[in-house]
Amino acid sequence: MANVEILGAKPRVESIQSGIDPAARERIADSLGEILSATYSLLVKTHVHHWNVVGPLFHSLHEMLEEQYGELFQATDLFAERIRALGFSTPVPSISVQPAAREMVAEEIVQDLIADHEATVRTMRQAALTAEDQKDIVTHDMLVGRMEWHEKIIWMLRAVITK
Ligand SMILES: [Fe+2]
């Protein structure tokens, strides 16, 4: 006898009636899965740059990046749990962006990170607009908050290398 029968568990039926069309929920969950992967990729890249940074800006960038990968890690949980709240399993994130495994000076690191932050914000902007169109204002709101953070980080990173 299968465990599920012994324990008396019943197959789960998803019936979420919170005002978002089921097809829209799936579409939004898929885009959150992509954002989860982009966030993990940026987290790994930020962490590796934190280790490999060299040069006169070592200390400030090393510390700044530590704070950033911590915040990126917290954000992954927000996206993953929002996917669950929408009624879907959270996918295993794929790390698609690999940092070069070598020492780099601040300028090179900052330019590399800014490009990824900007790409992430563009993906989030599209997903936020879709979520709003589909009446998922909770996901929309969450994405707006995350975009605000990324845009602030882009400003701070630029400021580090401005002469
Ligand atoms: Fe560290």
Side-chain angles (χ1 to χ4, degrees), residues 74-93:
Q74 286 177 11
T76 60
D77 211 43
L78 280 182
F79 300 129
E81 292 182 3
R82 182 64 192 151
I83 293 169
R84 298 293 297 130
L86 287 167
F88 298 92
S89 299
T90 301
V92 176

Side-chain angles (χ1 to χ4, degrees), residues 82-120:
R82 182 64 192 151
I83 293 169
R84 298 293 297 130
L86 287 167
F88 298 92
S89 299
T90 301
V92 176
S94 60
I95 312 292
S96 58
V97 181
Q98 296 292 346
R102 60 178 171 80
E103 292 179 342
M104 284 190 202
V105 295
E107 205 154 288
E108 201 179 354
I109 282 177
V110 163
Q111 275 163 4
D112 188 33
L113 288 174
I114 285 175
D116 284 14
H117 277 281
E118 285 179 339
T120 305

Side-chain angles (χ1 to χ4, degrees), residues 13-76:
V13 177
E14 292 292 356
S15 177
I16 294 177
Q17 304 293 328
S18 57
I20 309 168
D21 177 74
R25 271 196 289 114
E26 188 166 10
R27 209 166 128 218
I28 293 163
D30 283 348
S31 60
L32 286 172
E34 284 167 31
I35 289 167
L36 178 65
S37 289
T39 304
Y40 255 110
S41 300
L42 187 49
L43 156 59
V44 169
K45 183 178 265 195
T46 302
H47 209 163
V48 173
H49 283 327
H50 159 84
W51 295 323
N52 283 338
V53 59
V54 292
L57 293 174
F58 167 80
H59 190 257
S60 52
L61 204 53
H62 181 73
E63 300 269 303
M64 193 188 217
L65 298 183
E66 179 169 349
E67 200 177 310
Q68 289 175 14
Y69 70 67
E71 290 181 38
L72 286 163
F73 182 67
Q74 286 177 11
T76 60

